[in-house]
Amino acid sequence: MSDPGDPNYDIPDSEDQKPDNNQLDEKVASLQKSVDRLCYKFDEFVTTQSQTPNGQQLVQDDFTTDFSKDENEERGNWSGRLDFILSCLGYAVGLGNVWRFPYLCYRNGGAVFFIPYVIMLVFVGIPIFFMELSLGQFASQGPLTCWRFASMFTGIGVAMVIVSALVAIYYNMIIAWSFYYLFASFTSYLPWQDCNNAWNTEFCSKNLKPAANCTDLGFREGQNGVCYNGSSVYGLWNASVAKANGITPRPASEEYLYGRVWRLYDSEGLHDIGTLHWDLALCLLLAWVIIFFSLIRGIKSSGKVVYFTAIFPYVVLVILLVRGLTLEGYYSGIEFYILKPNITKLYEAAVWKDAAVQIFFSLSASWGGLIALSSYNRFHNNALRDSLIVSISNCLTSFFAGFVIFSFLGYLANELGVEVGEVADGGIGLAFVVYPRAVSLIPGATFWAILFFIMLITLGLDSEFALVETVVTSIIDVMPRLRKYKTWVVLAVSVVLYLLGLLLCTDGGAYYLQLMDEYSGGWNVMLIAFLECIAICYVYGFGRFKEDIRIMIGDYPCCCIPWDGIYWWWAITWGFITPVGVGFIMVFSWIQYQPLVFGSYVYPDWGLVLGWLMTMVVVVGLFIPLVYYMVVAEGSLGERFLSIASPRIDWGPALPKHRALVTYVPGFVRDPHGKDTMQMENGIPNDAFNFNTHDNPNGIHNPAFEKEAKSRF
């Protein structure tokens, strides 16, 4: 607990005199300084004290935040009140909010989809979000080192880092595509508006002419439904037959994506990667350069960049909505999106599975990013408040984005004379085919295209910041000596991931990106979430974890609602509902598993094996540390298991003043690293507990902790 009389007590005062605790006058002087600080920080006034279960007072200094200085000087903290919230919001709100959620709504019954969506948010999304924020903030450790309460679960952190690295590789490629489109938009005539380009095929929609009377025109009717003028395609004489043969008119925007951006027409599949394209490689390099300079000072720099990248997409969405609502046919799009509810959809298990998956992945839970970001919080940050703000804001963003997208789709359907369902699409098709196609038909198309792709870039950058920061934070937490060389660590990570991403800049790169998207962060992430719940509730113990949270956020974290009145909800969700819900998603995903296809391309068996290898790398990462720690631990099998299921002596808050609040755990050591000169309340100097954790990979275990653990098994 921070004492105003402590010589290390930090105040904005110029006096060099250090108070002596043995002299009353200097004690009074120190107290006066504390009063001066409260006056100096009057704009950050909060509740002056909170009572812990043991009657300890948490002093004002721990609940007021002076963002001009770090609370944890060695690790660093967020330097602004909104840095963390905006970083989490930017991490959670990504490209999927714009291109996946609206599509799921129309496919799963319109407004009815919000019922399972909200239920899954409450029972799965928010609980995991709050758990990870609390864990990272309490330990001030990233996803690779926050499992010191039970080293057997270190593999969870390893798996998180692997997932984040894999996703960071291909996610930045999508940002690179957005840059490519942005640069291509700086012209009076957008290149995806017509079919008269070198990359267009004979089946480009604007090249096909009406050919129902093919023979009357003197042309030949092919058995595939195509009307031929000699050896050239004239049109489709029978669209149904042509579709059965895999031939459909291709919008100019689709051919631009496939033929110009991806060069997919030059590749036959995974086995034919073709050539590396310098323009895509340069766009990818630009994306990584931005990531590097945004993270060059860690959270100190990225925490400022997010003030633009997290807020700007909302400004653009509002502008696009206003424009969309002025377009002819917008209402049919809005109606299709939300005003045609189909109650019967609630009886379909697939709808609930879609809702759970969307909630789970839109919040970016169990990828390690939430733990990494929260590890830089001040100890008494209200993690519960932040969890609710970010989770709910993320879902409302998805809902709002749906109105924007479908107002434009209604306009596009009206212009083409078709139903909205025929132009609606999900995934990449919505962002890079359907929407550019709609924009190209609007007066001032160049302006709206530039605005849209800047929005996509800013949406993607926020998520990429957190993915890369997760990897960097984990490396530095494992090797603290690298902390002063963090710039070089960021550079090394960026260079390695950029080089790995060059495969995606080839002719067949889109095939590999689709494979990575499908297998790198699928059900393996849900397995991570399941194990997180088991680790916290049944190994570490919910009773202790709830007290850890209490000393961070106080007895009244949510307005006037006491923590004692709401912690039972987290006990039920973390201990039962959330793991059961996650388990349901995993089992249903296995039952409904189908081999990956990309358009008409069916992935070969060796390609599917490659995808499953990415999945299994994550799964193997979960269990290798468990085996390792069991091997290096000493004693019988039972003693070894008990040892790696017990907290290390250095587990807990990073600073001694916060460790002093953990009075509810017998034998808890206040200062295991000997960084505090104060003595413990029992009079034993903290120096007696100094040790070197590198001498033992399991760390030093407290016998009292092992006795507590034994009572749980």
Side-chain angles (χ1 to χ4, degrees):
M1 182 171 61
S2 182
D3 185 354
D6 185 350
N8 295 320
Y9 186 67
D10 187 18
I11 58 173
D13 196 287
S14 60
E15 292 188 45
D16 296 324
Q17 182 71 28
K18 301 293 185 182
D20 186 348
N21 292 333
N22 298 322
Q23 298 183 17
L24 180 60
D25 55 341
E26 292 185 351
K27 187 75 173 179
V28 172
S30 176
L31 182 61
Q32 181 61 48
K33 287 187 191 179
S34 300
V35 174
D36 292 341
R37 173 169 184 155
L38 293 180
C39 294
Y40 176 78
K41 300 295 294 179
F42 74 94
D43 59 326
E44 296 180 351
F45 176 77
V46 294
T47 305
T48 57
Q49 62 184 24
S50 176
Q51 294 288 330
T52 69
N54 304 286
Q56 287 182 306
Q57 284 192 345
L58 307 181
V59 296
Q60 169 78 13
D61 179 57
D62 271 345
F63 282 97
T64 54
T65 48
D66 177 9
F67 288 103
S68 64
K69 295 184 178 180
D70 289 335
E71 179 182 69
N72 187 335
E73 295 182 357
E74 179 180 354
R75 183 178 184 81
N77 298 109
W78 296 100
S79 56
R81 190 175 298 277
L82 294 178
D83 291 16
F84 172 66
I85 292 180
L86 290 178
S87 295
C88 282
L89 186 62
Y91 180 42
V93 176
L95 298 172
N97 295 72
V98 173
W99 72 29
R100 179 171 170 81
F101 177 81
Y103 176 75
L104 289 177
C105 272
Y106 106 80
R107 192 180 75 179
N108 292 305
V112 170
F113 184 67
F114 284 98
I115 297 176
Y117 185 73
V118 172
I119 290 175
M120 289 298 174
L121 169 67
V122 173
F123 290 103
V124 176
I126 295 178
I128 293 180
F129 201 96
F130 179 43
M131 174 192 289
E132 293 194 350
L133 291 195
S134 299
L135 179 60
Q137 180 174 310
F138 179 76
S140 294
Q141 293 289 331
L144 204 55
T145 51
C146 68
W147 309 99
R148 291 174 178 169
F149 64 82
S151 55
M152 63 185 294
F153 290 107
T154 302
I156 295 178
V158 174
M160 286 178 168
V161 174
I162 295 173
V163 169
S164 293
L166 289 173
V167 174
I169 293 172
Y170 77 81
Y171 202 83
N172 223 18
M173 190 67 235
I174 299 175
I175 298 174
W177 294 341
S178 301
F179 274 117
Y180 193 99
Y181 270 86
L182 176 63
F183 298 145
S185 298
F186 286 94
T187 177
S188 58
Y189 192 78
L190 299 176
W192 55 84
Q193 286 186 270
D194 59 49
C195 295
N196 301 320
N197 305 286
W199 58 80
N200 292 122
T201 69
E202 52 193 0
F203 292 107
C204 189
S205 58
K206 291 189 177 182
N207 287 338
L208 297 176
K209 302 176 180 61
N213 55 344
C214 181
T215 55
D216 294 339
L217 295 172
F219 303 139
R220 176 174 59 87
E221 291 183 353
Q223 293 182 351
N224 57 1
V226 178
C227 178
Y228 291 97
N229 179 9
S231 60
S232 301
V233 173
Y234 180 81
L236 301 181
W237 68 270
N238 190 318
S240 299
V241 174
K243 185 176 182 180
N245 285 274
I247 301 173
T248 56
R250 297 169 181 165
S253 57
E254 178 182 316
E255 294 224 323
Y256 181 78
L257 176 63
Y258 280 69
R260 182 68 184 95
V261 181
W262 290 348
R263 279 82 162 188
L264 208 59
Y265 296 149
D266 298 327
S267 174
E268 297 179 359
L270 289 177
H271 65 283
D272 183 18
I273 63 174
T275 59
L276 177 68
H277 298 286
W278 65 268
D279 47 0
L280 287 179
L282 287 178
C283 287
L284 181 61
L285 178 62
L286 174 61
W288 277 111
V289 168
I290 292 175
I291 295 298
F292 169 70
F293 281 106
S294 298
L295 297 178
I296 194 170
R297 294 182 58 241
I299 60 169
K300 300 299 184 183
S301 52
S302 66
K304 301 309 176 187
V305 175
V306 295
Y307 278 83
F308 171 74
T309 56
I311 296 175
F312 182 75
Y314 290 95
V315 176
V316 176
L317 284 173
V318 171
I319 295 174
L320 292 176
L321 178 62
V322 173
R323 183 66 180 100
L325 295 179
T326 63
L327 298 174
E328 186 176 356
Y330 81 90
Y331 183 78
S332 62
I334 301 298
E335 182 182 37
F336 191 84
Y337 169 50
I338 201 69
L339 299 179
K340 290 185 176 180
N342 183 357
I343 301 296
T344 61
K345 284 286 187 179
L346 292 178
Y347 299 101
E348 299 179 12
V351 174
W352 292 84
K353 179 252 185 182
D354 281 348
V357 169
Q358 178 62 17
I359 280 292
F360 196 86
F361 293 107
S362 68
L363 290 176
S364 302
S366 300
W367 289 17
L370 297 177
I371 296 177
L373 295 176
S374 64
S375 69
Y376 296 103
N377 275 339
R378 285 165 169 76
F379 187 75
H380 291 298
N381 176 69
N382 194 330
L384 176 58
R385 174 202 61 201
D386 293 348
S387 299
L388 295 176
I389 290 175
V390 176
S391 300
I392 295 174
S393 298
N394 172 70
C395 296
L396 291 178
T397 300
S398 299
F399 179 59
F400 180 71
F403 285 96
V404 178
I405 297 301
F406 273 89
S407 64
F408 278 85
L409 294 185
Y411 167 76
L412 178 59
N414 181 74
E415 287 293 305
L416 300 178
V418 298
E419 295 294 326
V420 176
E422 296 183 36
V423 297
D425 193 8
I428 293 174
L430 181 60
F432 295 107
V433 176
V434 178
Y435 197 86
R437 185 182 182 189
V439 166
S440 67
L441 300 175
I442 302 174
T446 297
F447 171 76
W448 298 110
I450 292 173
L451 202 61
F452 176 73
F453 289 113
I454 291 178
M455 181 189 71
L456 285 188
I457 291 170
T458 54
L459 281 173
L461 285 175
D462 288 329
S463 299
E464 187 71 11
F465 289 158
L467 291 169
V468 178
E469 183 64 47
T470 300
V471 178
V472 172
T473 295
S474 299
I475 293 174
I476 292 177
D477 283 345
V478 172
M479 295 178 282
R481 297 181 185 87
L482 295 178
R483 197 173 302 279
K484 59 182 178 179
Y485 305 110
K486 186 168 186 177
T487 298
W488 294 103
V489 176
V490 175
L491 178 62
V493 170
S494 300
V495 169
V496 170
L497 297 185
Y498 169 70
L499 293 176
L500 293 174
L502 288 178
L503 173 65
L504 308 179
C505 299
T506 61
D507 292 337
Y511 292 121
Y512 282 93
L513 186 141
Q514 190 74 13
L515 192 70
M516 295 181 69
D517 183 43
E518 180 72 17
Y519 289 99
S520 61
W523 67 265
N524 47 12
V525 175
M526 291 181 275
L527 179 59
I528 292 174
F530 181 83
L531 292 177
E532 282 184 284
C533 294
I534 300 301
I536 292 293
C537 288
Y538 297 107
V539 177
Y540 183 57
F542 174 79
R544 179 169 172 179
F545 192 54
K546 75 176 176 63
E547 296 304 320
D548 293 343
I549 296 174
R550 186 197 300 271
I551 64 172
M552 287 193 296
I553 65 179
D555 278 339
Y556 291 88
C558 191
C559 299
C560 59
I561 303 177
W563 176 241
D564 285 334
I566 60 175
Y567 73 72
W568 59 268
W569 167 256
W570 306 109
I572 294 174
T573 53
W574 291 338
F576 178 72
I577 298 178
T578 301
V580 169
V582 172
F584 158 75
I585 303 171
M586 286 193 295
V587 172
F588 198 83
S589 298
W590 293 333
I591 293 174
Q592 284 202 327
Y593 171 76
Q594 294 180 347
L596 178 65
V597 296
F598 184 27
S600 59
Y601 176 72
V602 179
Y603 280 77
D605 291 340
W606 69 267
L608 298 178
V609 170
L610 181 61
W612 279 107
L613 283 176
M614 284 188 282
T615 297
M616 294 312 298
V617 165
V618 177
V619 175
V620 171
L622 280 168
F623 297 103
I624 284 182
L626 170 61
V627 175
Y628 170 73
Y629 285 127
M630 281 292 291
V631 170
V632 300
E634 299 178 352
S636 65
L637 186 63
E639 291 172 338
R640 294 184 182 193
F641 181 80
L642 184 62
S643 173
I644 65 175
S646 304
R648 286 171 31 164
I649 200 171
D650 59 338
W651 158 253
L655 303 181
K657 69 174 182 178
H658 297 142
R659 295 180 68 89
L661 302 176
V662 187
T663 58
Y664 46 86
V665 178
F668 190 81
V669 178
R670 169 176 175 170
D671 187 19
H673 298 287
K675 295 181 179 180
D676 190 13
T677 58
M678 297 177 62
Q679 291 186 337
M680 300 178 64
E681 293 180 355
N682 60 8
I684 301 176
N686 283 298
D687 292 343
F689 296 94
N690 289 348
F691 67 96
N692 185 352
T693 59
H694 298 289
D695 294 338
N696 181 356
N698 284 328
I700 294 180
H701 293 273
N702 190 322
F705 294 168
E706 295 187 3
K707 181 179 180 181
E708 177 193 358
K710 185 179 294 185
S711 67
R712 295 198 301 272
F713 292 103

